[in-house]
Amino acid sequence: MDAEPKNSGGEIEPWGDITPDAARRLVSAAVHAFAERGYHATTTRDIASRAGMSPAALYIHYKTKEELLYQISKVGHERALEIVERARDSAGTPAERLARAVRAFVRWHAEHHMTARVVQYELGALAEEHHAEVIAVRKATDGAVRSIIEDGVKAGAFDVPDVRGATVAVLSLCIDVARWFNARGRSTPDEVGDLYAGLVLRMVGADGGQDRRS
């Protein structure tokens, strides 16, 4: 992930596998426009202009503005799910796996803060079919985190009376990083990831909340 190109705002862009180049430029331009102005206030002309293309050229690759949002949301949610599932399936205690999941999930939302802002907060603008598809990925992400917490409860390592509620709290905490993270701020994505991993371990009552690097 660190090898991916960065935009002018310092954010690592997760669009390296989108082809052709024009389609990738349009997605990147749409992310910036949606993050700065919001989906509804952004026009296809805004997006095309940011990509250095004509509005007509945009429609060669994406039929509608909503299709661009769907591409962004789908890729973003799938990347986030991969991160959480990798941690869930890794070796170690439930505390180590939960810390690993939170650390990576937070780091992704910090490194890709503009993308994540669009991915997480513009869902309501998706067409019904696309919305349902993305929600299914979100539910899978929720399930992956919940399974780690359940493992910890079963092992007696976590003190969590409401697993479902704790899962929502953990994911909400991580996702909110996209709203406030500043690439030019004092904290790096790794530092924020470490901080949040420790906070979450304390939240679930894991061995006094001691964060274990993994």
Side-chain angles (χ1 to χ4, degrees), residues 93-95 149 151-160 201 204-209 212:
T93 66
I149 296 176
D151 287 347
V153 171
K154 291 175 183 176
F158 297 165
D159 180 14
V160 180
L201 289 182
V204 299
D207 299 326
R212 299 188 182 104

Side-chain angles (χ1 to χ4, degrees), residues 194-213:
D194 288 342
L195 171 65
Y196 276 49
L199 291 173
V200 167
L201 289 182
R202 287 191 287 275
M203 183 189 299
V204 299
D207 299 326
Q210 296 300 312
D211 181 14
R212 299 188 182 104
R213 284 300 303 232

